Each structure stands twice: as C-alpha cells, then as structure tokens.
Amino acid sequence: MNNTDPFPGDNLEINTSLEEKLEKILPLVEKPGRYVGGEYNSIIKDWNNISTKVALVFPDIYDIGVSNLGLQIFYERINQLNDCLAERSYSPWIDMESQLRKYKIPLYSLETKTPLKKFDILGITLPYESLYTNALNLLNLAQIPIRSIDRGLGFPLVISGGHATYNPEPMAPFIDAFLIGEGEEIFLELISTYQIWKSKNQPKIDLLNKISHIDGVYVPAFYEPQYYENGIFSNLLLKNKKSPKIITKRIMGKLPYSPTHFIVPSISVVHNRIPVEIMRGCTRGCRFCHAGMINRPIRERDVNEIVDTIEKALDNTGFEEIALLSLSSSDYTNILELVNQISDRFSKRNLTISLPSLRIETFSIELMEKLKGSRQGGFTLAPEAASDRMRGIINKPISEELLLSTAYEIFKCGWTTLKLYFMIGHPSETLEDVAEIASLCKKVLAEGHKAIGKRAKVHAGVSTFVPKPHTPFQWVSCDQPDLIRQKQNILREALKGRGFKLNWTDPKETMMEAWLSRGDRKMAEVIETAWKNGAKFDAWQDFKNYDIWMQAFTENDLDPYFYVHRERDLKEIFPWEHIFPGVRKTYLKTEYLNSMSMKLRGDCRQQCYACGITQTFNHLREEDPGIIWKCPNLVTKRRANELSLSN
Ligand code: SF4
C-alpha cells in the first residue's frame, strides 16, 4: 500500500475524543506503551495557559528515539521556559500507522495527546538521511501538508536540525527553516522571534523573514538553486536580497548544561541509560569522517561537572548504565580521572560505564581495568583500514603493532569478543587493501588465542564509505555496487573460520545513503515520489525497497549515478556550500590533496592546521576563556591589545 492511500473511515465517530479512539485501537497494536506517554520525568504543562507550544519529533520509532540526547536537551530546556511547553512524538510503527490512518486519527503528542498540527512549532530531528521519508510520513500522519509552500498560518512552523541537515537541500521544500549547528541557543532565539511575530498577527512570510536573520537559521524558500545545462549545480540565487549568502553553523563557546531528568520509558527500549556528553568535536582529522569535520572545535566538560550531572541523573532516573559520549571518548583529557571519580563516588550503585568510542592510541590498560565491569557485549575498536597505504589516505595512522598488543590486553582483561570496525571503498582502495583487512582480523584472533585460547572471537563490522559533504573526500565518487560486492566477497571467503563473524552493509543501502547525503534540491522530488510509493523506515532491513527508489529516479528523470559515482572536479561548487561549518573549503581541498600523497596530519590539538574553526569562532572563545577549548590559542590583534593593556 502507498503511504498516501486514503483509508476508509471506520465506525469511530468523528466526535469521539482522541483519547477514546486511542483506547479502542491501542489493544490492537504491538507495544502500546510506545504511544501513551506518562513516563517518569515526562512533563505536562498547562496547555491552556502557555502561549507557545513546541512539538519535538524524532522520525523513528519510540524505542530508538526516546533515548536521543538532542531531543532530551531541548525537551528539558524549553520546558524550563514559563511561557513555553515542549511535548514529544515519534514515528508510529506500521501497525499503529494503519490504525491511525484507518480511523483518521492525526498523529499526536505523547504528553497531552494533542494533534501535532495544533502546535506552534514542530521540530524534526534529522541525525541521518535514512529518516527523510519517515519525516514526510510523520507530517502526513499529522495531517500537515508535507511541502512548506502548502502550509499556511493554520499549521505549525516546521523546523529541523541535526547532522543530516548540513546538506539541507534534499529536504529543502519540506522544511520551513533549518537550524544549522548546535541548537541550544538558536532554538530559543527562534522561539522568542516566533512569539513576537505571533503577537503581531502578521503573515507567515514575515515570520520566515525574521527568523532568516537569526545566525545559523537557513530558510530555503528564500533561495533558488541554479544548474548548468548538464545538471550540475551552479549557484544559489537569493530570492530575498536581505537573506545571508552563507549560513554559518552555531556553536556554544562553553558546553551548556547537561540534562538530568531523562525520560524513563515504561517499556523496553534500545538504550536504558544516562547519556552524558563529555566533550564535543574531534581533532583527529580522519578524512572520511563527517562528524569529525562538522563538530569542531573540541570543547571539554569539566570532570566535576560531569560527575555532578551523573549523580543528579542517577537520582532522577534510577538507571544503572552511564554512557560517556563523544566522538572519541578516550581522547578526553582527564578520562582516567573521570572514570576513577565515577567508580569511587558511585561504588555502591553497581553501575555500568560505557565508553562507546575509543581511540586505540589513547586507550590504556588502566582504563581497560576500570571498564572491566562492563564486559558484556564485547569490546569495540575501529581501525577503519588495515594497510599502511589506506591508513595514510584516510589519515588514521594506527600501527599494527599497537593494535595487536591492545587486542591481546583486551582479551587478557577478560573480554572474549573483540569487535573491529572497518570501512571499505575509501578512495583508491585496491582488492589487496581489502584482503589486508582479513589478514589483520586473523592476526587479532591469534592474539586472542594467545591470551585466552579458543574462547576468543573477532567480529568484523565492515561498512562502505560514502563521500560526505563538508569532508576532504567530498570530491570523490562511491564504489560501484558490483565492486563493493567483490570486496565483500573477499572478506566473506577469508573470514569463514571458527572465531570470526562478519557483518557488512548492503551496497544498495550504501547507494541510498550516498544519493540522499550528496543530493541537491532536485533530490527532493525523488524523496517525495519514493515516499508516496511506499518508502519509509529506510534504515530498517525489512523495509528496504530499492526498486521504489529507482522508480522514483526514473519518474523524475534523474540519474542516481550522477549523484553517487561522478568524481567531482576540484572547481565544482557543491549544492551544500552555502552552509558553512566553520571548516574552510580550502582546508578540505588541501586535505584531499594530502590524502593522495598519503600525507599524515596529526592530532591538531598539538599543531593547528588552520582549518578555519578558530578564526570563525574566536569571538566565542574570547568570551569564554579557559581550558575547555582544545585548539591551540589564536591571539587576535584585539586580544593582544587587551592583554598588553591589562599588563
Ligand atoms: S582550528 Fe586548528 S586546532 Fe582547531 S580544529 Fe581547526 S585545525 Fe584543529
């Protein structure tokens, strides 16, 4: 059935309240707890006495979305405002969607069961591209027109943010405004602009106009992409001359407070834990890494602040697992001190501490000893490549010797399974490079055998590289699906033996990720067509439907090859260039050229390579001096004058 097929209304009368309708349909769906709210720490404010209502929406099922840290941050922060409330909604699973459509029940918020269309602002989190069709489906289920142009004053302002919106163009016609970068301040600024506008009874265009002047807000309706005859993007025409040509991401000079009143789900979900962000940004400079480029600079939280946050969150939730989150947790300057303090302060609570992202270079046996209590589930390292040549190309120089000795220690410490993450398809990769992944896995298993005998296991997770916007590899093309399969077969053949397990990404899934992340605004037509023809839950194995997508390309006379397999000229202008993450294109280009000669760049905390971040955001750093920023200090003329005056 297509997503937009109308369902016949059944015999639940129009006048039946939403709550009464839910009572009838919830017994018919799996895990009704996903749709009822009322969880511990959920916040219900007086709808009638609050002027501004915000719906925070995660376009995947409750089980995944409820533990999303970004959504939790905004939920707590907005609800702290006296004149605002925030409620939540998630994508209903297929069975619930059928019931909602059957009885024409609009998608609603969990807290007060209010239809999403009645909110003032609807914020959709888009952390990854495979949620695009879910976002459209969610709007449709909420009985809100999916296209911005069709939403008049009677509908909420639809905004979006998250990693996937650093290339907003594929979703541009559907979203009124994108919040680019860290949203803690910008969201609140947008709300207060909305409140002023609402008090004056002005048309929607005035609202769009006003919010387009907030730093970091991109209103796509004011920009019109232009293309050369061959279909390549040429430039973005400003339809509103006052709109900014470049939208620079927003960041926080000092990391804002961490939430401590996490929602405690009443049903089993993917993560029942307290996520604490210990730092933002990464300075390792892996050339394929989107998150590493767009989240610069590194800003760390203070150890005491983190431990206090954990204490409050434990008291408020009763969770027993702490996840210390960052792009590279073992790079956090005081990681040992932090883990020690947590272990000491909460020794009676039987806590599990997880550090989801560990760098092999900064990982120590001492830290491993501290994490012993969290042994279930295996230990994870991400070498990404196995040959020295590829390590030079991607700028992840991990010596094999160090990897093997670390693996030995991990097994020796009591873990029986070591998970290794690799990525195939990096620029210039050969079949020999791929074969080295298998050889490395065998050497690691041999270390395991030495340490703990035949109980040792190696699980290799092999994803496929997608050249993401705003990275040094944004100019390169993706491997063709046949070549990806050939590479995967090499690994399948080589890692058949006892002790190995291999996971890989379906090449079709990689193609989808590539064309969605690299698309221009024309891609929006493909997304809409694919969604109308049934595409949704594109990240879910059971729902992948490549044929629907290929058909959508054909219907819109577009070629997926053009987006995915075309190597870009160095002079090409990308459709995402009006979004500026603070890292300059010239730096990315230099890094791309460095990759071809396998030139390594070290951790830029030791030596700055002038990526542009410090220059772009130095004013914030000066406002908030201290040791939290890890970029080497840049002393501007103004600062130098201030310093000499104060001396
Ligand atoms: S400004 Fe320098 S130190 Fe900071 S992220 Fe960029 S390259 Fe690294």
Side-chain angles (χ1 to χ4, degrees), residues 464-492:
T464 307
F465 164 71
V466 168
K468 290 283 175 107
H470 305 293
T471 68
F473 286 160
Q474 61 184 343
W475 286 272
V476 306
S477 63
C478 247
D479 273 355
Q480 301 268 3
D482 283 349
L483 181 56
I484 298 172
R485 280 189 202 98
Q486 196 183 352
K487 290 177 177 179
Q488 289 171 340
N489 283 339
I490 289 173
L491 296 173
R492 266 208 291 263

Side-chain angles (χ1 to χ4, degrees), residues 72-136:
Q72 180 73 39
I73 290 172
F74 296 125
Y75 185 68
E76 267 190 57
R77 188 67 195 96
I78 295 170
N79 276 317
Q80 282 165 359
L81 304 174
N82 290 333
D83 55 355
C84 267
L85 63 78
E87 301 190 1
R88 298 160 297 134
S89 191
Y90 306 89
S91 291
W93 189 237
I94 305 303
D95 54 353
M96 182 64 170
E97 175 174 341
S98 298
Q99 295 298 327
L100 293 176
R101 289 194 187 277
K102 184 173 182 184
Y103 295 113
K104 296 187 164 75
I105 301 171
L107 192 61
Y108 56 89
S109 65
L110 292 188
E111 281 75 5
T112 57
K113 314 291 175 300
T114 305
L116 298 184
K117 61 185 172 184
K118 293 202 171 161
F119 282 78
D120 295 299
I121 299 171
L122 194 145
I124 305 178
T125 307
L126 287 173
Y128 32 90
E129 301 83 5
S130 53
L131 297 180
Y132 289 167
T133 50
N134 274 21
L136 300 195

Side-chain angles (χ1 to χ4, degrees), residues 294-542:
I294 62 169
N295 285 306
R296 292 177 177 210
I298 280 216
R299 287 140 296 155
E300 295 188 347
R301 260 185 225 287
D302 175 68
V303 170
N304 294 325
E305 183 195 335
I306 296 170
V307 179
D308 288 347
T309 299
I310 291 173
E311 178 150 44
K312 284 186 199 140
L314 286 170
D315 291 344
N316 292 335
T317 62
F319 285 140
E320 291 175 341
E321 183 182 343
I322 310 287
L324 301 177
L325 301 183
S326 84
L327 292 174
S328 172
S329 299
S330 54
D331 279 345
Y332 176 73
T333 309
N334 299 310
I335 187 67
L336 255 179
E337 187 194 337
L338 174 64
V339 175
N340 279 336
Q341 276 210 33
I342 296 171
S343 312
D344 294 347
R345 174 107 69 113
F346 310 113
S347 57
K348 295 200 180 106
R349 295 218 198 196
N350 197 22
L351 288 186
T352 301
I353 305 170
S354 62
L355 286 171
S357 322
L358 296 168
R359 289 282 299 198
I360 295 161
E361 308 93 304
T362 41
F363 185 63
S364 65
I365 295 174
E366 212 181 337
L367 183 57
M368 207 176 328
E369 287 288 339
K370 291 281 166 201
L371 298 175
K372 262 184 173 178
S374 323
R375 271 199 297 247
Q376 68 275 33
F379 201 101
T380 304
L381 295 174
E384 307 290 358
S387 67
D388 283 339
R389 197 181 77 80
M390 290 317 298
R391 289 178 186 132
I393 284 169
I394 66 173
N395 199 40
K396 198 160 185 188
I398 298 159
S399 83
E400 185 169 300
E401 203 186 352
L402 179 64
L403 175 65
L404 294 180
S405 62
T406 307
Y408 177 84
E409 295 298 342
I410 290 169
F411 285 119
K412 202 77 194 152
C413 248
W415 275 274
T416 54
T417 301
L418 183 52
K419 295 179 187 168
L420 296 175
Y421 287 154
F422 295 96
M423 198 180 262
I424 56 169
H426 288 300
S428 86
E429 183 186 60
T430 63
L431 299 184
E432 289 71 37
D433 292 316
V434 176
E436 287 206 42
I437 293 177
S439 311
L440 184 61
C441 289
K442 288 178 182 171
K443 288 177 196 167
V444 169
L445 187 62
E447 292 299 318
H449 288 161
K450 262 196 265 167
I452 57 165
K454 295 293 176 196
R455 287 183 300 138
K457 294 187 190 73
V458 170
H459 290 181
V462 182
S463 62
T464 307
F465 164 71
V466 168
K468 290 283 175 107
H470 305 293
T471 68
F473 286 160
Q474 61 184 343
W475 286 272
V476 306
S477 63
C478 247
D479 273 355
Q480 301 268 3
D482 283 349
L483 181 56
I484 298 172
R485 280 189 202 98
Q486 196 183 352
K487 290 177 177 179
Q488 289 171 340
N489 283 339
I490 289 173
L491 296 173
R492 266 208 291 263
E493 282 304 310
L495 296 175
K496 270 183 175 161
R498 185 183 164 193
F500 290 117
K501 188 173 161 195
L502 177 67
N503 291 318
W504 60 90
T505 315
D506 181 346
K508 289 177 177 172
E509 195 180 322
T510 303
M511 295 302 107
M512 193 180 297
E513 183 188 346
W515 68 59
L516 290 177
S517 61
R518 299 180 63 78
D520 49 30
R521 205 175 286 195
K522 288 182 275 184
M523 182 61 66
E525 309 300 328
V526 177
I527 295 170
E528 184 174 349
T529 306
W531 165 71
K532 278 184 177 160
N533 292 337
K536 63 188 159 208
F537 288 110
D538 290 304
W540 289 70
Q541 204 54 44
D542 293 351

